[in-house]
Amino acid sequence: MEPKKLYNTTVINEDGVNGHVYVADPNGLDVEISDPRNDLPGANPEQFVGLALSTCLNATVEAIEKKNHVPHTSQVRVHVTMVKGSQGLEFLVHAKVLIPGVDFATAQAFTALAEKRCPVSKLLSGSPNVKIETVEQF
Amino acid sequence: MEPKKLYNTTVINEDGVNGHVYVADPNGLDVEISDPRNDLPGANPEQFVGLALSTCLNATVEAIEKKNHVPHTSQVRVHVTMVKGSQGLEFLVHAKVLIPGVDFATAQAFTALAEKRCPVSKLLSGSPNVKIETVEQF
């Protein structure tokens, strides 16, 4: 069975990391960007990765909360670190999931399920640089 | 040798996919978000993935252009499609790289090198859903 297409978007970058990047839609985002290694204002790929994973993962946890008839209390914080090692530049991605409305074992089960279901964590699941963790406090 | 940390950022999502998501920095992005399957205004994880990959990949191509003493002419367009198949929701990511300032074989070589070096494409490299392609026109 062919997968069913539900949504499509296009993002255009002409400037590299200094300038702007935009969604190809009249109402889409147009974001100022800059190299994070300088002090200029602007977003960067590290932040975009954090926005993608935190939103996807928390939306998935929220759906699981709803399915289990518990109030939505989850929060996701994603830390992205740029490092330079023997393989050149790399990003380390560390997502922390806090679900204060349920006990910790349940929070861990919800997180594990969300990690399996969230399309962004699926895209990242082959990378040893990505860690998704349930926490009791931030 | 421990990799050297060059930059760190934190992104916070409390709302799931309907509300907002923000970078934990006084001057950081604060973005309105909404489920792409409805008509409400707002960005979404698909767009954030496209912003991350297009910016990282094009910045890397730009560095390669510079190293090779050719003018910066590259552009990257990233198409992200949400599909629902037997494995639930997934994102298909298709990046197109256009470098009109060099011949096509050189453009392909620059793209291949950028794909290996760009931290975001490294994060995504384990996924069968990600395709990075050199194009002669968009």
Side-chain angles (χ1 to χ4, degrees), chain A residues 6-7, chain B residues 34-39 82 84 89:
Chain A
L6 300 175
Y7 173 72
Chain B
S34 70
D35 190 321
R37 290 168 292 181
N38 65 33
D39 285 331
M82 175 168 59
K84 186 164 190 171
L89 294 177

Side-chain angles (χ1 to χ4, degrees), chain B residues 6 14 27 31 40 46 50 73 77 80-81 86 89 92 96 103 105-106 118 128 137:
Chain B
L6 300 175
E14 297 169 358
N27 300 313
V31 188
L40 298 174
E46 289 85 341
T73 62
R77 294 191 183 184
V80 182
T81 306
S86 57
L89 294 177
L92 308 180
K96 296 181 180 175
D103 65 73
T106 304
C118 152
Q137 57 181 37

Side-chain angles (χ1 to χ4, degrees), chain A residues 33-112:
Chain A
I33 47 177
S34 70
D35 190 320
R37 289 167 292 180
N38 65 33
D39 285 331
L40 298 173
N44 51 57
E46 289 85 340
Q47 293 176 358
F48 296 140
V49 168
L51 291 162
L53 181 59
S54 66
T55 299
C56 181
L57 203 53
N58 203 23
T60 310
V61 173
E62 189 178 12
I64 295 166
E65 289 173 324
K66 194 173 177 183
K67 180 95 177 172
N68 284 275
H69 310 292
V70 298
H72 168 55
T73 61
S74 66
Q75 295 181 35
V76 176
R77 295 191 182 182
V78 176
H79 305 277
V80 182
T81 307
M82 177 168 57
V83 299
K84 186 164 191 171
S86 56
Q87 304 299 310
L89 294 177
E90 291 190 67
F91 291 174
L92 308 180
V93 179
H94 186 178
K96 295 181 180 176
V97 180
L98 175 72
I99 317 177
V102 296
D103 64 74
F104 190 63
T106 304
Q108 287 179 306
F110 285 6
T111 301

Side-chain angles (χ1 to χ4, degrees), chain A residues 4 6-11 13-14 44 47 58 72 76 78-84 87 89 122, chain B residues 4 6-11 13-14 44 47 58 72 76 78-84 87 89 122:
Chain A
K4 188 179 173 192
L6 300 175
Y7 173 72
N8 181 261
T9 189
T10 298
V11 178
N13 182 299
E14 298 168 359
N44 51 57
Q47 293 176 358
N58 203 23
H72 168 55
V76 176
V78 176
H79 305 277
V80 182
T81 307
M82 177 168 57
V83 299
K84 186 164 191 171
Q87 304 299 310
L89 294 177
K122 286 179 188 175
Chain B
K4 188 179 171 191
L6 300 175
Y7 173 72
N8 182 263
T9 187
T10 298
V11 178
N13 182 298
E14 297 169 358
N44 51 57
Q47 294 176 356
N58 203 23
H72 168 55
V76 177
V78 176
H79 305 277
V80 182
T81 306
M82 175 168 59
V83 299
K84 186 164 190 171
Q87 304 299 311
L89 294 177
K122 286 180 189 175

Side-chain angles (χ1 to χ4, degrees), chain B:
Chain B
M1 190 184 77
E2 273 290 293
K4 188 179 171 191
K5 290 183 186 180
L6 300 175
Y7 173 72
N8 182 263
T9 187
T10 298
V11 178
I12 300 179
N13 182 298
E14 297 169 358
D15 292 343
V17 77
N18 293 296
H20 74 139
V21 58
Y22 59 101
V23 175
D25 180 293
N27 300 313
L29 280 180
D30 187 324
V31 188
E32 187 181 12
I33 48 177
S34 70
D35 190 321
R37 290 168 292 181
N38 65 33
D39 285 331
L40 298 174
N44 51 57
E46 289 85 341
Q47 294 176 356
F48 296 140
V49 168
L51 291 162
L53 181 59
S54 65
T55 299
C56 181
L57 203 54
N58 203 23
T60 310
V61 173
E62 189 178 14
I64 295 166
E65 289 174 324
K66 194 172 178 184
K67 180 98 179 170
N68 285 274
H69 310 292
V70 299
H72 168 55
T73 62
S74 66
Q75 295 181 33
V76 177
R77 294 191 183 184
V78 176
H79 305 277
V80 182
T81 306
M82 175 168 59
V83 299
K84 186 164 190 171
S86 57
Q87 304 299 311
L89 294 177
E90 290 189 66
F91 290 175
L92 308 180
V93 180
H94 185 179
K96 296 181 180 175
V97 180
L98 176 72
I99 317 178
V102 297
D103 65 73
F104 190 63
T106 304
Q108 288 179 304
F110 285 7
T111 302
L113 196 55
E115 183 174 354
K116 268 191 224 165
R117 288 185 183 170
C118 152
V120 175
S121 66
K122 286 180 189 175
L123 283 177
L124 298 173
S125 64
S127 172
N129 288 10
V130 178
K131 180 180 170 188
I132 295 175
E133 182 187 23
T134 318
V135 298
E136 296 188 83
Q137 57 181 37
F138 286 126

